[in-house]
Amino acid sequence: MTTQAPFTLKGRNPDVLTCIANLSNDEVFTPPEVANLMLDQVASAWAAANNGANIWADPSVKFLDPVTKSGVFLREITTRLVHGLAEKIPDLQARVNHILTKQVYGLAITRLTSLLARRSLYCSKFANSPHSVAEGFDDSAGNIWFERLEHTWNEDEKCIYCGVNRSAIDKGEDRESHAYAFIHNPDIRNWLDDTFGADMQFDVVIGNPPYQLADGGARASASPIYQLFVHQAKKLEPRYMSMIIPARWLTGGKGLNEFREEMLTDKRIRKLVDYPDSTECFPGVDLSGGVCYFVWDRDERGECEITTHIAGVETTTTRPLLQEGVDTYIRYHEALSILDKIKAVHPKSSKSFSDLVSARKPFGFSTDYTGFKETKSKGDVEYIGYNKQGFVARSEITRNLDWVDKHKVYISMAYGERISTSYWVLGKPFMGAPGTCCSETYLVIGPFDSKKESECVMSYVATRFFRFLVLLNKPTQHATSKVYSLVPIQDFSVSWSDSKLYKKYGLTDSEIGFIESMVRPMALNV
C-alpha cells in the first residue's frame, strides 16, 4: 500500500530555486529572496488596510501567479500560509490540503515550467501522485494550469493579443508557441472561473512576466509584452497586484508610451522598488534600464512610496510618480531639487536642448549604408559613419541638405554602459564641419552659424551637469532627441563648465556631490 508523502516544502540545502539558470533575459527566474521581498510589501499593504491583520493567517485569501516559471512565488506563499494558519487549522495535513487546493493558483508559461512549478509546490510533477504533499486533487495539474495555446493571427500575420509576427514565432508544434494563456484570453475572469471550476476572485495577483517577444524586425528586434500582463491583471480587480518588470517603461521603451502614461498617473500604485542596475536584483542578469517591482492597491489612492537601490545603498521617499511640471518619471530623488532650481531660471515655455537635436537618420543614411566612395569627386560631401568614412554625391542626401554646409555637432545615437554608477551617459560629441554629413550612427546637434558656437555647445555637452540631466531621461543605450528634453538651452556664444553651471543654478554642495557621484568627467578630443 502506498502512503501519502509527508509535507515538506524546504529542508534541503541549497535551495534548488537559488541555483536554477534563467531561460533567457526575456524569461527570468525570480530568486527566492526577491519573491519574499515582494511578498513582504504585499503583506505590509494588507496589514495597513486591515487594522494590522496578518494576510498569512487568513484562510479565505486567494493568490494567483499568472506567469508561473519556477513556482517560487507559490512556494513562498504556501510556506507563509502554513505557518500563519497553524492556529486556525491545527492539523498540518489538513492545513496543507486547504492551502494548496483553495488558496494558491498558478498559470505556467511553458510545459517545462509547469512541471518545475508543480515539483516546487507539490514536491511532485504530478499533483495527485503518491509523492505529492497535497491530497484532494483529481488530476495531475492540481492548481498549476498549463495547456499549449496558439496565437490568433490577423490579416497582417500578427497575433491579435500580443502583437507578435507569425514569421518570428510560428516554428511548429514541437516548439513552444509562447502564446501565454493569461494575455491570450479576451475574457480573462470567466476563463479563470472555467479553468479552476469556481468563482476565482483573487485577492493577490503576483508574478514575474515574460519581458519581450521577437517581432521579426532587424537585428533580432523584440517588442515588450510585460505591459500586457499588467493590463490583464488589472482587469481581474484583485485587492493587490505586484509584478517585477523591466524598469525602462519609467522613461522610455519601444511602444510603451500609453502604458507609461497610464502607470505614472495611476495613484493606486502605492509602492515602487527600483533597481537601476538589474544585477543588484537578479544576479548575473543584465537588463538595460534596470528592473523594478510595484504594489498596486485597488482600493487606496495616493502618493507612491519609492525605494531606489544604487550600488548597495537604499533610499526611500514618498512622492507622486509624476512630478508637477515634469512629463517624465524622475528616477533619482536627489534630482528633484536640482530640477526645481532649473525651472526657476527657465520658464516652462522655454525651449529645451532636444529642440537642437535631430531625428534619426539626419541625412537619410542608414547605419549599414555602403554607397559611399573612397575618393572625392567635384561637389561631393564627406560621409561619416561608424568606422566608415568616404564621400557621397549631394544627390544621395535625402534629408536636411541645407545642413551640409553649416557648422554642427555630431553625437552617437546610442551609447551604453554596463555599470551602476559614474556614467558617461553619452558618447563624446565631435565637430561636424561644413561639407560633411553622417550616417544613422550619429545625430546632429544644430546647425549653427559659426565654429565657435559649435565648440561652445560641445563644451556644454561635456559637462557633468548636462549629462546628468540626460541620464534622468535615458533608460537604455538609445539617445534619441527625447532624452535631452530636461536639458535647458544656454547662451552658446560662451564656453561652459560645471563650475559656471553650478553657480548659475545655485546648486548646493550636496546636489553637486550627487551629480558628480553619478557622472564621471569627459575630456573632449579637440
Side-chain angles (χ1 to χ4, degrees), residues 25 29 47 160 223 254 260 323 466 468 493 497 512:
N25 270 16
F29 288 121
I160 64 173
S223 295
K254 184 177 182 180
R260 176 168 47 258
Q323 297 292 121
F466 180 101
F468 173 76
S493 66
S497 66
I512 292 169

Side-chain angles (χ1 to χ4, degrees), residues 263-514:
M263 292 287 279
L264 293 181
T265 56
D266 190 344
K267 294 186 179 298
R268 294 170 294 180
I269 297 178
R270 303 307 309 278
K271 296 177 185 288
L272 176 70
V273 181
D274 181 23
Y275 296 84
D277 178 2
S278 64
T279 63
E280 290 197 60
C281 183
F282 295 142
V285 179
D286 183 9
L287 298 173
S288 180
V291 68
C292 67
Y293 61 85
F294 61 89
V295 176
W296 178 89
D297 185 334
R298 183 192 64 201
D299 299 336
E300 296 290 337
R301 288 167 169 77
E303 294 188 338
C304 184
E305 180 185 285
I306 302 170
T307 300
T308 305
H309 294 260
I310 302 176
V313 178
E314 175 185 306
T315 59
T316 299
T317 188
T318 299
R319 60 182 174 91
L321 285 171
L322 204 58
Q323 297 292 121
E324 184 178 354
V326 180
D327 59 2
T328 190
Y329 174 74
I330 303 304
R331 192 169 208 170
Y332 305 105
H333 319 312
E334 297 86 348
L336 297 176
S337 61
I338 298 171
L339 291 174
D340 285 342
K341 290 179 178 180
I342 292 171
K343 285 190 290 184
V345 176
H346 300 274
K348 187 177 180 181
S349 60
S350 299
K351 288 186 176 181
S352 76
F353 196 87
S354 61
D355 296 309
L356 297 178
V357 182
S358 72
R360 296 177 66 167
K361 296 185 183 178
F363 296 99
F365 297 113
S366 62
T367 301
D368 57 1
Y369 175 72
T370 58
F372 58 90
K373 301 175 291 184
E374 292 186 4
T375 57
K376 184 177 181 180
S377 300
K378 185 177 180 180
D380 281 354
V381 173
E382 183 180 353
Y383 169 85
I384 301 169
Y386 178 67
N387 288 334
K388 301 172 184 177
Q389 199 159 348
F391 301 93
V392 295
R394 288 177 183 265
S395 60
E396 295 292 315
I397 298 172
T398 59
R399 296 181 185 174
N400 302 311
L401 182 60
D402 57 319
W403 293 2
V404 169
D405 294 319
K406 294 185 177 181
H407 296 276
K408 48 201 172 284
V409 173
Y410 295 135
I411 193 163
S412 295
M413 197 280 292
Y415 181 80
E417 296 168 294
R418 293 300 186 250
I419 55 177
S420 59
T421 58
S422 194
Y423 301 93
W424 252 14
V425 185
L426 299 167
K428 290 185 179 182
F430 61 98
M431 187 69 67
T436 66
C437 66
C438 67
S439 74
E440 182 185 14
T441 299
Y442 305 104
L443 300 181
V444 171
I445 303 173
F448 303 107
D449 294 329
S450 67
K451 181 180 179 181
K452 180 182 179 182
E453 199 172 2
S454 293
E455 290 173 340
C456 293
V457 167
M458 289 169 59
S459 72
Y460 186 39
V461 174
T463 64
R464 284 167 151 173
F465 175 88
F466 180 101
R467 290 177 288 124
F468 173 76
L469 296 177
V470 173
L471 175 65
L472 300 180
N473 222 6
K474 184 176 180 285
T476 65
Q477 67 177 356
H478 297 293
T480 59
S481 60
K482 175 184 178 296
V483 307
Y484 299 90
S485 62
L486 294 175
V487 182
I489 289 180
Q490 307 295 342
D491 174 4
F492 295 125
S493 66
V494 297
S495 182
W496 289 95
S497 66
D498 277 311
S499 59
K500 279 186 179 181
L501 292 162
Y502 296 156
K503 183 177 181 180
K504 176 175 179 176
Y505 296 105
L507 301 192
T508 64
D509 290 343
S510 175
E511 291 165 339
I512 292 169
F514 183 72

Side-chain angles (χ1 to χ4, degrees), residues 69-140:
K69 294 191 282 289
S70 68
V72 65
F73 286 102
L74 303 180
R75 188 191 72 176
E76 299 305 317
I77 288 168
T78 300
T79 299
R80 291 170 179 235
L81 289 170
V82 165
H83 294 295
L85 291 172
E87 290 187 12
K88 291 186 177 177
I89 311 176
D91 181 78
L92 178 59
Q93 188 62 62
R95 188 159 74 246
V96 170
N97 291 341
H98 174 84
I99 294 166
L100 296 182
T101 62
K102 303 295 184 183
Q103 292 191 264
V104 180
Y105 300 80
L107 305 176
I109 64 170
T110 65
R111 187 169 301 282
L112 172 64
T113 60
S114 71
L115 300 175
L116 177 59
R118 289 182 199 126
R119 188 172 290 278
S120 297
L121 187 60
Y122 307 132
C123 300
S124 170
K125 66 180 180 180
F126 302 121
N128 61 348
S129 83
H131 303 290
S132 172
V133 298
E135 295 175 345
F137 286 122
D138 296 327
D139 60 73
S140 61

Side-chain angles (χ1 to χ4, degrees), residues 236-257:
L236 295 178
E237 297 185 322
R239 183 65 176 85
Y240 297 100
M241 184 249 294
S242 182
M243 288 195 180
I244 185 164
I245 57 179
R248 66 184 64 180
W249 69 269
L250 291 166
T251 54
K254 184 177 182 180
L256 293 174
N257 289 344

